[in-house]
Amino acid sequence: MGMLDGKVAMITGAASGIGRETARRFAKEGAKVAVVSLKSEEERAVSLCAEIAREGGAAVFIPCDVSREEDVRAAVKGTIQKFGRLDIVMANAGINGVWAPIDELMPGEWDRTIAVNLRGTYLAIHCAVPELKRAGGGSIIIVSSVNGTRTFANAGSTAYSVSKAGQVALMKMAALELAASNIRVNAICPGATDTEIGSSTIKRNVETIKVGVHFPHGAPGIRNGQARPADIADVCLFLASDLARHVSGAEIFVDGGFSLAV
Ligand code: NAD
């Protein structure tokens, strides 16, 4: 018997990295999975769905830009049309965006990071909650970060860090509001994880930002704080499952302890 038998999960940004690994993990445990990601990632997303099907699971790709309300509404609708219900929502899609000194970070660059990471998370919750209520409850997992929640040392990552801090505030507001509907809401805060997020990162002149201190030698934490996507996916599985039935409003750092020291 799987930990998520009979459940339906919607994962945004599931074509790659943490979302992809979690989609595999959830499917292995019996969940049917809506793989929600950008249309430009169709090929990879469809191959993930095929891989899940080969292993006896069920998954469907739904193209969606999470910053667009109509896309997110359609993603929730598509999930219901395909699988009939919704129990687990993982708001994972995100970009690093532009990292730059604050006087060089342009308003449009700020807006894009906030639109994908924060508005996208709000939209996923906003559109999915009626379906979670219809299912009698559920689990919402927000993928935040150690940046903006426990470390502020990545020079120039202001928009990103603010979006990640905002996600945690959103998680806590929603956890309190939705508890009466038996919907749990939690955030995970990964540290450095081996994914493709580098391809959504533009660093400009960050070396000119001087904070006056340098970490002396080495990197702290288990495996120097470096995570594999599976390390994050396992914590998401816990939060999605009944093992976490009394866990709501929590932010869980998954960084091997790295951010305690930086
Ligand atoms: P990734 O780039 O491998 O995956 C992100 C996915 O989101 C991709 O499939 C991408 O196409 C998708 N995406 C981007 N913009 C989108 C949009 N507008 N609409 C729909 N999908 C969109 O990166 P990842 O590391 O797996 O990132 C997943 C989450 O983990 C992000 O929220 C990120 O901030 C967070 N995170 C990552 C790390 C890390 O070191 N990799 C650390 C902390 C937090």
Side-chain angles (χ1 to χ4, degrees):
M1 211 179 112
M3 289 168 76
L4 303 179
D5 277 347
K7 304 285 188 196
V8 174
M10 179 180 98
I11 304 178
T12 68
S16 107
I18 291 168
R20 189 178 184 92
E21 192 59 31
T22 307
R24 282 197 190 103
R25 194 80 181 90
F26 282 9
K28 258 194 195 114
E29 292 295 334
K32 297 180 173 121
V33 183
V35 171
V36 172
S37 217
L38 292 169
K39 171 91 178 133
S40 57
E41 294 196 300
E42 180 159 14
E43 207 175 309
R44 305 177 68 200
V46 167
S47 89
L48 172 65
C49 294
E51 179 191 322
I52 288 173
R54 273 195 306 277
E55 291 176 6
V60 63
F61 167 56
I62 304 178
C64 166
D65 177 339
V66 295
S67 67
R68 294 166 55 96
E69 179 188 344
E70 60 274 29
D71 281 19
V72 182
R73 283 200 191 286
V76 172
K77 201 169 162 200
T79 306
I80 298 298
Q81 275 168 353
K82 178 75 182 170
F83 296 131
R85 58 184 291 139
L86 183 59
D87 307 277
I88 300 159
V89 175
M90 180 164 158
N92 165 75
I95 54 171
N96 271 347
V98 176
W99 294 17
I102 198 150
D103 49 336
E104 295 179 23
L105 179 67
M106 300 312 288
E109 296 167 342
W110 168 276
D111 287 348
R112 186 63 194 152
T113 302
I114 301 294
V116 175
N117 295 0
L118 190 51
R119 177 180 159 88
T121 299
Y122 148 73
L123 283 174
I125 297 173
H126 170 73
C127 296
V129 157
E131 293 302 334
L132 297 177
K133 286 182 175 170
R134 226 184 304 283
S139 172
I140 297 172
I141 302 160
I142 296 172
V143 183
S144 173
S145 172
V146 293
N147 286 294
T149 59
R150 206 156 71 168
T151 180
F152 299 84
N154 272 314
S157 69
T158 311
Y160 180 78
S161 296
V162 167
S163 75
K164 295 288 146 181
Q167 284 180 307
V168 171
L170 172 56
M171 176 275 287
K172 291 179 181 177
M173 290 298 297
L176 194 54
E177 179 177 331
L178 297 173
S181 303
N182 194 32
I183 298 170
R184 298 180 295 102
V185 191
N186 295 288
I188 58 159
C189 302
T193 308
D194 183 18
T195 68
E196 288 165 44
I197 198 141
S199 65
S200 71
T201 312
I202 300 168
K203 288 190 182 173
R204 210 171 52 225
N205 296 336
V206 288
E207 64 289 347
T208 64
I209 303 171
K210 306 275 183 236
V211 291
V213 289
H214 297 281
F215 202 77
H217 296 291
I222 295 164
R223 290 204 310 273
N224 296 332
Q226 296 294 316
R228 295 178 285 254
D231 300 322
I232 315 297
D234 278 351
V235 181
C236 294
L237 173 61
F238 163 72
L239 287 173
S241 79
D242 202 43
L243 288 179
R245 60 196 167 275
H246 208 52
V247 182
S248 194
E251 54 198 295
I252 302 184
F253 296 94
V254 193
D255 70 340
F258 178 89
S259 62
L260 290 169
V262 296

